[in-house]
Amino acid sequence: MKTLKVGLVQQANGADADENIRRIEENVSACARRGAQLVVLQELQHYPYFCQAEEVAHFDLAASLDEIKQSRFRRMAAEQGVVLVTTCFEKRAPGLYHNTAVVFEPGGVAGIYRKMHIPDDPGYYEKFYFTPGDTGFYPIQTSVGRLGVLICWDQWYPEAARLMTLRGADLLIYPTAIGWSAADDADEQQRQLDAWITVQRAHAVANGLPVIAVNRTGHEPDPSGLTAGTQFWGNSFVAGPQGELLARAAAREEQNLVVEVNLDRSEQVRRWWPFLRDRRIDAYGELSARFLE
Amino acid sequence: MKTLKVGLVQQANGADADENIRRIEENVSACARRGAQLVVLQELQHYPYFCQAEEVAHFDLAASLDEIKQSRFRRMAAEQGVVLVTTCFEKRAPGLYHNTAVVFEPGGVAGIYRKMHIPDDPGYYEKFYFTPGDTGFYPIQTSVGRLGVLICWDQWYPEAARLMTLRGADLLIYPTAIGWSAADDADEQQRQLDAWITVQRAHAVANGLPVIAVNRTGHEPDPSGLTAGTQFWGNSFVAGPQGELLARAAAREEQNLVVEVNLDRSEQVRRWWPFLRDRRIDAYGELSARFLE
C-alpha cells in the first residue's frame, strides 16, 4: 500500500512575522518528528493577514521570487527532510505582485503556482494586492507525488480542481486564510464554514483524489478599524477520495495534524466511480464563456 | 420576497408500473394540496429500476416522445395545477433510446432534457439502455422559473451544473435512482451517501443557487439474480444557495417533502460570494480535453 504522511500546520499569527516564522519552524519540526513527509502551511503563513485593509505600506512585505526561493522555508524543508508547501507575497516588479505558492523539496525548489482566482470583499481586499496568476493550473511534481497546489479563493472553483486532475494531480492542496466576521450571526457563520468544507470535499468526490485544506486560526484586528477584524475559523482538514473526512482540526485552536493518506485508494475509488470515463467533453466548450445569456 | 413551494415525491416502486403511477398521482395531489407549485419526481418514476440487468425485453417499456408528452403525467400537471418534472424511457427510433426528462406545465410541455452522462457499473447497466443525450445542458423555461434539470449520474459532474448556471438556471434539479449494494459494508455505504449529498450541495455552493435532488427508496430485487438487488437510499433533499440543507427525507421511508425556497436569496448570496465574477475563463479551455497527460 502506497501511503503518504501529511502534516498540516494551523497557526494563529501575531503582528511579528519573525516570531510567526519561529513558531512555524517548531511546528514543521514537530510534524516531521511524527513522520510527516509532506507539510502544508496556511496561506501567507508567516504574515498577519494584511489584506484586511488597503495600505500601500504593506507592499513592503513582498519579496522577489529569488528571495523567496532562498528564504528560511528552503532551509526548513532541507533541515526537516520534508516537502513543504508555502505561500508568499511575491514582488514580481514594482506595481506587480502575486500571491504565490512555492513548494520546497529537501533539495531545493520543486515548483511554483500563482493564485489564479483573487477575491475581493470586505476584510479580504486581495485584488488591491495581488495580480491574478499567469501560471495556469499545473500540478507540481515532487518526490512525494504530483501536488495540485491551489490557494484559498481557488477552492470555490470546480474548474481549477478538474484541470489539476486532468493534468495528473495525485492530491489537491489548499492553503487558506478564511474566517468569520463578527457582523454575521451564528447561523450565517455555520453556513459559511459548512459551505467551505462541502465545496472542497466535493472536489475530492468529483475527481477521486484526496484534498488537504490548511487554514489559519485566531483573531486578527482590522488595522483600518472599519470592521471588528476577522476570527479565522481553522477547521483545517484532510479528505479522502470519496470526500470522507480523515482528520479535521478545531476552529479556535492552534493545531498540527499528521495524517496518513492511502494513495492507492484513489485508483480503487475511480474504478467503481469512473467519473473521468463519462465526461461529455463534446458539450463542455462553453465553460470558457463568461455567461451565456 | 420571491418564494417557490417545491414538492419532492420519494417513493418505493413495485413491479406494477400502473400501480406505481396511481401512487405517484396521489403523492403529486398531496403535494399540490400542501401548496407545491413545482413537483419533482424520482428518476424513471413509475418503472421498477430495470437497469439492474441487461434484458432486451425491457426495451418494450420505452415510449416515443410524442406518447410521453401525451401521457398521464401531462394530465397530472394539468389537474393539479403544478409544474411537474418527470423522467421517462424514450424510444427515439428502433435501437435508439434515451433517459429523458420531460417537464410539464399545467398547460402542456415546457421542455425536455436527455440525460447526458450515462453510468455503467454492476447494478446500473444504463449504457446498455440509454444513448447519451444530445440536448446539451440548457435550462427549461417554466412559469415557476428556469429549471436546470439534470438526471442522476449528471450529479457527479460540476461541468453540467456550471453550464446550467451560465445559461441562467434558477434552480438545479436532479431526479435520481441510487442505492446501496448489500456487498458493501456500513462504512462504505455511509461514505457513498455522504459523497452523493456533498457533491450536490457543492453545486449549490459553487453556483449560488438552490438544488433539489429526488431519489427513490425501497428494495428492488435484481431480476438476473447476479446481486442481492439494490436498497435505494432515499435521502431526497433541498439545499439553499450556500449548500445549506433546507429539508431531507429519510433513507427507508416513502415521503413527500414540501419545501419553501426563497428565490431572492441566490442573488444575495452571489453578491457576497461572487464566484461568477472571478472565473478564469482565459485558463479553462482545456476542460474540453479528455485528459492532459
Side-chain angles (χ1 to χ4, degrees), chain A residues 115-121 127 132-134 136-138 146 153 156-160 162-163 165-168 178 188 191-203 205-207 233 242-244 265 270 272-293, chain B residues 115-121 127 132-134 136-138 146 153 156-160 162-163 165-168 178 188 191-203 205-207 233 242-244 265 270 272-293:
Chain A
K115 186 172 182 174
M116 291 283 285
H117 301 97
I118 306 294
D120 196 281
D121 57 289
K127 287 194 194 296
D134 57 350
F137 304 100
Y138 291 84
R146 288 168 77 85
W153 194 239
W156 303 100
Y157 293 85
E159 292 93 341
R162 183 68 98 196
L163 283 166
T165 303
L166 296 181
R167 293 190 174 117
I178 191 168
E188 175 59 28
R191 279 194 299 274
Q192 292 180 2
L193 172 59
D194 285 349
W196 178 80
I197 293 174
T198 298
V199 82
Q200 293 178 91
R201 289 177 62 198
H203 299 326
V205 174
N207 296 291
W233 68 44
Q242 290 169 297
E244 73 279 22
R265 191 159 167 78
R270 289 188 192 184
W272 67 68
W273 282 353
F275 304 137
L276 293 182
R277 181 189 66 189
D278 295 329
R279 294 177 69 241
R280 289 299 304 272
I281 56 173
D282 58 310
Y284 291 168
E286 291 190 303
L287 288 168
S288 294
R290 181 62 68 206
F291 205 65
L292 290 161
E293 283 200 297
Chain B
K115 187 172 181 174
M116 291 283 286
H117 301 97
I118 306 293
D120 196 282
D121 56 291
K127 287 194 194 297
D134 57 350
F137 305 100
Y138 290 84
R146 287 168 79 84
W153 193 240
W156 304 98
Y157 292 86
E159 292 92 340
R162 184 68 97 197
L163 283 166
T165 304
L166 295 181
R167 294 191 174 117
I178 191 168
E188 174 59 27
R191 279 195 299 274
Q192 292 180 3
L193 173 59
D194 285 350
W196 178 79
I197 292 174
T198 298
V199 82
Q200 293 178 90
R201 288 178 62 198
H203 299 326
V205 175
N207 296 291
W233 68 44
Q242 290 171 295
E244 74 278 22
R265 191 158 167 79
R270 289 188 192 183
W272 69 68
W273 282 353
F275 305 137
L276 293 182
R277 182 188 65 189
D278 295 330
R279 294 176 69 242
R280 290 298 302 272
I281 55 174
D282 58 311
Y284 292 168
E286 291 190 304
L287 288 168
S288 294
R290 180 63 68 208
F291 205 64
L292 290 162
E293 283 201 296

Side-chain angles (χ1 to χ4, degrees), chain B residues 36-83:
Chain B
Q37 303 154 273
L38 167 68
V39 179
V40 182
L41 305 180
Q42 66 206 25
E43 185 185 17
L44 300 169
Q45 62 277 327
H46 58 294
Y47 311 98
Y49 183 70
F50 55 83
C51 311
Q52 284 199 67
E54 300 195 356
E55 297 280 358
V56 286
H58 287 159
F59 287 105
D60 289 337
L61 296 170
S64 73
L65 196 52
D66 280 346
E67 289 168 324
I68 294 166
K69 286 181 174 177
Q70 299 302 329
S71 68
R72 284 172 69 175
F73 298 106
R74 182 189 189 113
R75 233 191 317 140
M76 244 178 259
E79 288 172 4
Q80 303 301 332
V82 296
V83 173

Side-chain angles (χ1 to χ4, degrees), chain B:
Chain B
M1 193 171 79
K2 199 175 151 202
T3 62
L4 176 64
K5 274 211 172 169
V6 181
L8 294 77
V9 177
Q10 172 176 303
Q11 190 169 301
N13 278 358
D16 179 345
D18 283 337
E19 168 61 11
N20 295 332
I21 292 188
R22 193 191 60 70
R23 292 192 305 115
I24 289 169
E25 201 150 13
E26 280 178 12
N27 289 323
V28 172
S29 166
C31 289
R33 281 196 306 275
R34 290 167 62 189
Q37 303 154 273
L38 167 68
V39 179
V40 182
L41 305 180
Q42 66 206 25
E43 185 185 17
L44 300 169
Q45 62 277 327
H46 58 294
Y47 311 98
Y49 183 70
F50 55 83
C51 311
Q52 284 199 67
E54 300 195 356
E55 297 280 358
V56 286
H58 287 159
F59 287 105
D60 289 337
L61 296 170
S64 73
L65 196 52
D66 280 346
E67 289 168 324
I68 294 166
K69 286 181 174 177
Q70 299 302 329
S71 68
R72 284 172 69 175
F73 298 106
R74 182 189 189 113
R75 233 191 317 140
M76 244 178 259
E79 288 172 4
Q80 303 301 332
V82 296
V83 173
L84 186 65
V85 177
T86 69
T87 44
C88 292
F89 188 13
E90 178 195 354
K91 177 179 181 175
R92 196 166 177 187
L96 180 57
Y97 301 80
H98 294 288
N99 185 330
T100 303
V102 178
V103 178
F104 295 94
E105 287 274 1
V109 173
I112 73 158
Y113 163 79
R114 293 191 174 108
K115 187 172 181 174
M116 291 283 286
H117 301 97
I118 306 293
D120 196 282
D121 56 291
Y124 302 85
Y125 298 104
E126 294 198 16
K127 287 194 194 297
F128 179 70
Y129 294 104
F130 308 129
T131 292
D134 57 350
T135 50
F137 305 100
Y138 290 84
I140 295 171
Q141 182 71 55
T142 72
S143 55
V144 297
R146 287 168 79 84
L147 308 184
V149 178
L150 295 159
I151 305 175
C152 202
W153 193 240
D154 292 325
Q155 67 213 173
W156 304 98
Y157 292 86
E159 292 92 340
R162 184 68 97 197
L163 283 166
M164 285 294 191
T165 304
L166 295 181
R167 294 191 174 117
D170 297 312
L171 300 159
L172 296 177
I173 295 175
Y174 294 96
T176 294
I178 191 168
W180 290 305
S181 155
D184 289 322
D185 65 23
D187 284 352
E188 174 59 27
Q189 293 187 351
Q190 189 61 47
R191 279 195 299 274
Q192 292 180 3
L193 173 59
D194 285 350
W196 178 79
I197 292 174
T198 298
V199 82
Q200 293 178 90
R201 288 178 62 198
H203 299 326
V205 175
N207 296 291
L209 41 61
V211 168
I212 298 162
V214 183
N215 189 27
R216 65 177 68 200
T217 186
H219 183 270
E220 297 187 25
D222 175 356
S224 75
L226 265 176
T227 74
T230 299
Q231 174 64 47
F232 292 95
W233 68 44
N235 274 284
S236 301
F237 69 86
V238 180
Q242 290 171 295
E244 74 278 22
L245 285 174
L246 302 178
R248 179 175 169 181
R252 290 169 190 269
E253 282 167 42
E254 296 194 311
Q255 221 169 324
N256 298 327
L257 298 178
V258 177
V259 184
E260 186 169 86
V261 177
N262 175 354
L263 294 179
D264 288 336
R265 191 158 167 79
S266 301
E267 181 168 353
Q268 289 176 290
V269 168
R270 289 188 192 183
R271 285 184 184 190
W272 69 68
W273 282 353
F275 305 137
L276 293 182
R277 182 188 65 189
D278 295 330
R279 294 176 69 242
R280 290 298 302 272
I281 55 174
D282 58 311
Y284 292 168
E286 291 190 304
L287 288 168
S288 294
R290 180 63 68 208
F291 205 64
L292 290 162
E293 283 201 296

